[in-house]
């Protein structure tokens, strides 16, 4: 269980409060208007945005001030998920050892992950030589080897076409299921919510609402969410 | 998104900055302890102060004013060899001063090419020594620098504005007033200030082309008090004055100092629709030819004369070349140890106040630091034993502000783009440098290292204070040959020095680029 207890984030005039508990193994979609603080919520979970107030717990252990790299989660950003000067293999390897000292078993794991996402034949290329979809797959291979209990997606597939994006979301879905990880993903698209999410976190008006079951919420949205969905 | 916990450690950066401050302040304190204010400022000192400021002012004025038409012509004309010319404009910055002086002497000297032409025409000869020689040499170094900086500004003007000007059929005067004048107003003060500061601490030019009561800079006066009279008190007093003058000017320049770029993107001229008239075309052509001749002829003179003089060099030249190579390599290493952690510290801060520490190097004169450390070392051991290491250290300090300007913007971008990713992967310390920062900065590090190596290779400053008969660098050896009127041997040494300085720059720069491309 990932618990946000009286969390408040303040950035200049911007302010967002959150109070919720997220269950490992479930998939959460974060939706809401632009600028409401969806990315900020993920940043706060990951440790990139300092909390003005409140505490963060993972399985009863407080992680409010733990470094981003030591938290039980891995995040894919909107862009810059791969180092352009390193090969695909090296990029994935960093997920196992940040100092890149990979033993034989580690290298086998990297190769296995690349195989799993269908990039076995691109292992030695630099990200710049890959297509957008292949770059996403490489980043997902790293998520796979990191094998953390939580995967956070801050719209990493926004630049892909609809078919490719669905393909990636399906792949993500499979990967988190294999690792029994929880998923928190920011999205703008109601169809993504229907496709993948168990529950929805609506962010609006300075507050991230506690998660509600996706199907019920999307069929009978409260006024604020209805205004957003249009 | 506000970043927290970006994993670059600031500890080593702060230590490096503290070391720089200690090195400079240590020298300053040593100087102050010996400065005999009681002795007072004699009239020759006032002359030196006045001359220092006046020549720096004239050098900045001429360099900047002449750079405007040249940069303008280069910005709006396309011609064969334009790319090479723009690249060559970067050469004087890394050119050893004494080499350039020899080139200028070959053209403008007593029996130089210009006077030969004048004699043919029955005109009286010109002399290069004194104020106008010093200013001429400074313009030779700084006109290309100013041109490059102005060109950068010109090419930052969005193409849409020139398109709009073409559609509105603006007259040349209107184009100047509406588009070009605002750019100039923005850049010219910074460029002039930078050149003024650089020229304030000029030593080698004044040493070779100045001298005498009417053409002595403060820096040269320090050297003379030190070397000829061994009057440490007076040298210390002059050093203090130099620090106040150059330091004050540098602090002002800090706010207007332009960014030093790799020069990328300058190879392509903008598409322009104005200035198609024959008069403008002719004027631009003349400006470009004159500018190129002023830049290329002295360099050509060095190569031609040097090739002839190679056979007449005494073996001491090769020993000196070895020492210079050693000094340059140590400088590059010291620079890397100082600049990289400092850049990391500066880049992870939002405001650039820390950069001021790097600029201390620009404000403190090399001879002031040299004098200070001579005073500190003298009681303990023979300063000549440390001549080469101290020279290497001071040269690294002098290159530090430029190198920080080169590296910090790129490092800021790296933090911006990959800081979160590195943090989420738990990368910090050496792995972060090894796998993220060094590869991302490779071209900038190579360029900065090349700059430092070349500047250090060609430096004729502190070494003149410390050196004895055995421990000399190539520039000093060359100066001694010139002083002994062995001009042919000196020309040979100049060619060796030129090849070494440009070679070390090219090698470092190419290594950085190749590493980045691999």
């Amino acid at each position: 269980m990932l618990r946000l207890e009286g969390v408040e984030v303040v950035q200049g005039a911007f302010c967002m409060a959150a109070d919720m508990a997220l269950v490992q193994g479930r998939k959460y979609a974060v939706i809401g208007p632009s600028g409401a603080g969806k990315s900020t919520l993920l940043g706060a979970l990951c440790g990139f945005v300092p909390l003005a107030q409140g505490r963060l717990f993972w399985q009863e252990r407080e992680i409010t001030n733990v470094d981003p790299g030591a938290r039980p989660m891995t995040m894919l950003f909107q862009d810059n998920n791969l180092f352009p000067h390193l090969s695909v293999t090296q990029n994935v390897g960093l997920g196992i050892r940040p100092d890149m000292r990979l033993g034989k078993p580690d290298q086998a794991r990297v190769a296995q992950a690349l195989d799993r996402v269908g990039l076995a034949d691109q292992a030695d290329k630099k990200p710049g030589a890959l297509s957008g979809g292949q770059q996403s797959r490489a980043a997902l291979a790293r998520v796979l080897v990191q094998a953390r209990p939580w995967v956070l997606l801050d719209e990493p597939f926004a630049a892909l076409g609809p078919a490719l994006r669905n393909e990636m979301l399906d792949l993500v879905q499979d990967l988190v299921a294999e690792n029994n990880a929880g998923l928190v993903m920011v999205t703008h698209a109601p169809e993504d919510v229907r496709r993948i999410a168990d529950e929805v976190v609506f962010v609006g008006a300075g507050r991230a609402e506690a998660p509600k079951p996706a199907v019920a919420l999307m069929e009978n949205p409260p006024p604020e969410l209805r205004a957003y969905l249009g | 998104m506000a970043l927290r916990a970006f994993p670059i450690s600031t500890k080593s950066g702060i230590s490096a900055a503290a070391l720089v401050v200690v090195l400079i302040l240590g020298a300053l304190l040593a100087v102050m302890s010996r400065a005999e204010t009681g002795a007072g400022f004699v009239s020759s000192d006032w002359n030196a102060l006045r001359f220092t400021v006046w020549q720096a002012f004239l050098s900045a004025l001429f360099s900047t004013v002449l750079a405007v038409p040249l940069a303008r012509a280069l910005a709006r004309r396309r011609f064969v060899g334009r790319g090479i010319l723009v690249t060559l404009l970067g050469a004087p910055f890394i050119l050893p001063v004494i080499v350039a002086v020899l080139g200028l002497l070959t053209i403008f000297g007593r029996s130089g090419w210009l006077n030969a032409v004048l004699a043919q025409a029955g005109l009286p000869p010109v002399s290069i020594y004194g104020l106008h020689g010093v200013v001429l040499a400074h313009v030779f170094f700084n006109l290309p620098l100013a041109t490059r900086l102005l060109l950068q500004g010109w090419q930052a003007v969005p193409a849409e504005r020139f398109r709009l000007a073409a559609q509105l059929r603006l007259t040349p005067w209107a184009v100047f007033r509406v588009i070009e004048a605002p750019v100039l107003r923005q850049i010219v003060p910074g460029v002039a200030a930078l050149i003024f500061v650089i020229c304030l601490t000029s030593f080698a030019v004044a040493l070779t082309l100045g001298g005498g009561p009417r053409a002595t800079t403060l820096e040269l006066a320090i050297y003379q008090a030190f070397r000829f009279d061994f009057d440490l008190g007076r040298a210390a007093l002059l050093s203090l004055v130099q620090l106040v003058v150059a330091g004050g000017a540098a602090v002002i320049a800090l706010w207007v100092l332009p960014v030093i770029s790799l020069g990328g993107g300058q190879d392509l001229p903008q598409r322009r629709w104005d200035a198609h008239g024959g008069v403008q075309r002719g004027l631009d052509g003349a400006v470009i030819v004159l500018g190129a001749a002023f830049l290329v002829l002295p360099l050509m003179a060095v190569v031609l004369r040097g090739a002839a003089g190679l056979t007449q060099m005494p073996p001491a030249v090769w020993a000196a070349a070895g020492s210079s190579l050693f000094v340059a390599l140590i400088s590059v290493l010291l620079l890397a140890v100082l600049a990289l952690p400092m850049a990391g510290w500066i880049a992870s801060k939002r405001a650039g106040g820390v950069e001021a520490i790097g600029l201390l190097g620009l404000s403190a004169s090399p001879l002031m630091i040299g004098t200070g450390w001579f005073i500190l070392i003298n009681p303990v051991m023979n300063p000549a034993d440390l001549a080469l290491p101290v020279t290497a250290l001071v040269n690294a300090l002098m290159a530090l502000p430029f190198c920080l300007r080169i590296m910090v913007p790129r490092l800021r971008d790296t933090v911006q783009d990959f800081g979160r990713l590195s943090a989420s992967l738990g990368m910090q310390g050496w792995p972060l440098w090894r796998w993220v920062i060094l590869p991302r900065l490779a071209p900038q590090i190579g360029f900065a290292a090349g700059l430092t190596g070349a500047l250090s290779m060609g430096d004729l400053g502190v070494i003149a204070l410390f050196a004895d008969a055995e421990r000399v660098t190539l520039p000093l050896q060359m100066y001694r040959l010139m002083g002994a009127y062995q001009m042919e041997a000196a020309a040979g040494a100049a060619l060796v020095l030129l090849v070494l300085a440009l070679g070390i720059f090219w090698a470092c720069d190419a290594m950085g680029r190749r590493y980045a491309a691999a």
Side-chain angles (χ1 to χ4, degrees):
Chain A
M1 188 111 81
L2 187 61
R3 210 144 46 80
L4 290 80
E5 217 179 73
V7 163
E8 240 175 74
V9 174
V10 181
Q11 287 178 342
F14 173 86
C15 174
M16 186 188 64
D19 233 319
M20 64 182 78
L22 306 175
V23 181
Q24 187 183 352
R26 293 186 71 76
K27 290 168 286 198
Y28 299 87
V30 180
I31 61 174
S34 300
K38 302 186 292 293
S39 295
T40 308
L41 177 65
L42 263 64
L45 286 175
C46 264
F48 293 118
V49 178
L51 305 186
Q53 255 183 51
R55 301 194 292 175
L56 209 57
F57 290 93
W58 166 241
Q59 293 176 336
E60 303 316 311
R61 187 167 70 89
E62 181 168 358
I63 56 166
T64 314
N65 293 313
V66 171
D67 279 346
R71 294 190 182 210
M73 50 198 72
T74 164
M75 176 148 155
L76 291 187
F77 310 101
Q78 282 174 10
D79 43 27
N80 292 323
N81 286 304
L82 298 170
F83 292 110
H85 54 277
L86 299 179
S87 72
V88 170
T89 305
Q90 288 176 314
N91 266 295
V92 176
L94 282 174
I96 301 178
R97 289 288 302 250
D99 58 2
M100 206 77 107
R101 291 203 187 124
L102 298 177
K104 272 265 155 18
D106 297 329
Q107 288 170 6
R109 262 178 75 202
V110 170
Q112 210 182 346
L114 284 174
D115 203 32
R116 174 68 187 79
V117 300
L119 282 182
D121 52 341
Q122 313 285 333
D124 296 327
K125 288 194 182 160
K126 297 260 173 77
L130 303 184
S131 70
Q134 288 172 325
Q135 292 180 7
S136 301
R137 287 171 182 276
L140 286 174
R142 196 183 56 223
V143 171
L144 194 58
V145 299
Q146 283 182 283
R148 305 246 175 114
W150 286 94
V151 175
L152 276 50
L153 304 184
D154 188 6
E155 300 190 87
F157 312 130
L160 303 179
L164 207 48
R165 203 176 77 210
N166 286 338
E167 204 183 312
M168 289 305 139
L169 287 177
D170 290 345
L171 184 56
V172 167
Q173 208 158 185
D174 294 347
L175 297 184
V176 294
E178 283 162 34
N179 283 355
N180 190 30
L183 176 72
V184 182
M185 60 174 241
V186 171
T187 184
H188 282 289
E191 63 268 23
D192 286 357
V193 178
R194 293 199 184 91
R195 192 179 185 90
I196 197 169
D198 302 320
E199 301 191 37
V200 170
V201 173
F202 180 69
V203 181
R207 182 157 188 85
E209 304 289 346
K212 305 231 167 59
V215 180
L217 192 72
M218 296 306 279
E219 263 162 29
N220 191 11
E224 224 185 342
L225 179 56
R226 187 174 324 203
Y228 167 66
L229 292 172
Chain B
M1 197 189 282
L3 282 187
R4 192 179 68 165
F6 184 76
I8 292 187
S9 148
T10 54
K11 241 180 274 163
S12 46
I14 294 173
S15 319
L19 185 64
V20 170
V21 172
V22 165
L23 285 172
I24 294 176
L25 284 188
L28 177 63
L29 288 178
V31 163
M32 283 171 74
S33 74
R34 292 299 289 268
E36 289 158 19
T37 38
F41 223 49
V42 296
S43 75
S44 68
D45 299 338
W46 282 112
N47 281 340
L49 175 59
R50 211 173 304 128
F51 179 77
T52 302
V53 175
W54 182 233
Q55 61 81 19
F57 171 77
L58 288 180
S59 303
L61 180 72
F62 284 120
S63 299
T64 318
V65 166
L66 293 174
V68 171
L70 185 54
R72 187 178 201 228
L74 284 172
R76 64 187 189 187
R77 299 292 163 204
R78 299 151 173 244
F79 54 92
V80 181
R82 181 184 179 281
I84 297 174
L85 184 58
V86 172
T87 306
L88 261 180
L89 286 174
F93 197 69
I94 54 170
L95 196 64
V97 174
I98 186 112
V99 170
V101 165
L102 190 99
L104 290 170
L105 280 175
T106 308
I107 308 282
F108 300 99
R110 191 168 307 152
S111 48
W113 300 357
L114 178 66
N115 277 335
V117 173
L118 289 178
Q120 286 283 317
L123 292 166
V126 295
S127 166
I128 193 180
Y129 294 99
L131 174 65
H132 47 279
V134 170
V135 172
L136 178 77
H138 282 160
V139 172
F140 174 80
F141 281 106
N142 294 304
L143 172 62
L145 175 69
T147 306
R148 274 181 74 110
L149 292 172
L150 285 174
L151 196 53
Q152 264 172 36
W154 232 292
Q155 298 199 317
V157 175
E160 290 83 356
R161 279 192 213 164
F162 289 112
R163 241 183 275 163
L164 188 61
Q167 266 190 341
L168 296 173
R169 293 170 185 250
L170 295 186
T171 60
W173 172 240
V175 170
F176 179 77
R177 239 187 35 196
V178 175
I179 300 178
E180 298 178 314
V183 176
L184 290 176
R185 254 202 307 279
Q186 226 171 27
I187 307 175
V188 162
V191 172
L194 176 67
I195 296 173
F196 182 74
V197 172
I198 290 176
C199 293
L200 275 182
T201 52
S202 169
F203 170 68
V205 166
L207 178 69
T208 45
L209 295 176
R214 292 181 54 204
T216 296
T217 60
L218 282 172
E219 204 80 346
L220 183 56
I222 296 171
Y223 169 75
Q224 286 168 347
F226 196 102
R227 199 77 193 173
F228 299 156
D229 315 329
F230 204 71
D231 187 346
L232 279 182
R234 221 167 83 78
L237 180 62
L238 287 163
S239 296
L240 273 185
V241 175
Q242 172 72 302
L243 184 73
V244 171
V245 172
V251 167
I252 295 165
L254 167 65
W255 305 114
V256 286
L257 204 59
V259 173
I260 297 158
S261 89
L262 282 170
Q266 295 196 11
D267 314 347
L268 288 177
Q270 282 170 325
R271 180 108 174 74
R272 294 274 294 262
W273 294 268
D274 57 322
H276 281 316
V279 177
Q280 288 183 336
R281 197 174 290 209
L283 275 179
D284 280 355
V287 165
I288 290 172
V289 167
L290 278 177
F294 182 54
L295 183 66
V296 170
L297 280 181
L299 289 178
M300 221 169 70
V302 169
V303 173
L304 289 179
R305 212 172 164 190
L310 276 179
T311 51
Q312 302 185 38
M313 289 188 315
V317 167
W318 294 111
S323 303
S324 275
L325 209 50
F326 170 76
V327 166
L329 291 178
I330 300 289
S331 287
V332 170
L333 284 180
L334 284 171
L335 177 91
V337 170
L338 291 175
L340 283 172
M342 279 181 79
W345 181 34
I346 296 167
S348 49
K349 291 215 154 263
R350 203 150 300 214
V354 195
E355 232 172 316
I357 296 169
L359 285 162
L360 266 179
L362 198 69
S363 59
S365 87
L367 287 203
M368 189 280 286
I369 302 177
T371 308
W373 281 94
F374 191 100
I375 292 169
L376 288 176
I377 295 168
N378 205 19
V380 188
M381 59 189 291
N382 178 11
D385 291 340
L386 286 177
L388 298 186
V390 169
T391 303
L393 178 64
V394 173
N395 289 344
L397 288 182
M398 293 303 122
L400 186 61
F402 296 106
C403 295
L404 286 177
R405 284 269 150 172
I406 291 163
M407 293 194 282
V408 165
R410 172 72 169 177
L411 193 46
R412 278 224 169 91
D413 292 346
T414 304
V415 170
Q416 184 77 38
D417 292 345
F418 299 105
R420 288 188 307 174
L421 177 56
S422 312
S424 77
L425 290 169
M427 301 178 84
Q428 50 186 319
W430 172 241
L432 180 69
W433 284 92
R434 166 71 186 83
W435 296 107
V436 183
I437 299 176
L438 295 181
R440 298 305 297 164
L441 256 67
Q444 285 73 21
I445 293 171
F447 183 70
L451 198 66
T452 307
L455 288 177
S456 181
M457 189 73 164
D459 175 69
L460 176 57
V462 184
I463 186 68
L465 287 186
F466 279 67
D468 55 13
E470 294 101 65
R471 273 153 293 219
V472 282
T473 58
L474 189 48
L476 184 59
Q477 180 65 39
M478 193 187 142
Y479 174 66
R480 288 184 181 169
L481 287 172
M482 283 166 78
Y485 294 103
Q486 298 186 33
M487 292 309 278
E488 298 320 306
L495 184 56
V496 173
L497 183 53
L498 179 69
V499 169
L500 283 176
L502 295 185
I504 202 168
F505 173 78
W506 177 83
C508 292
D509 190 42
M511 260 196 289
R513 282 170 199 269
R514 182 170 309 172
Y515 187 86

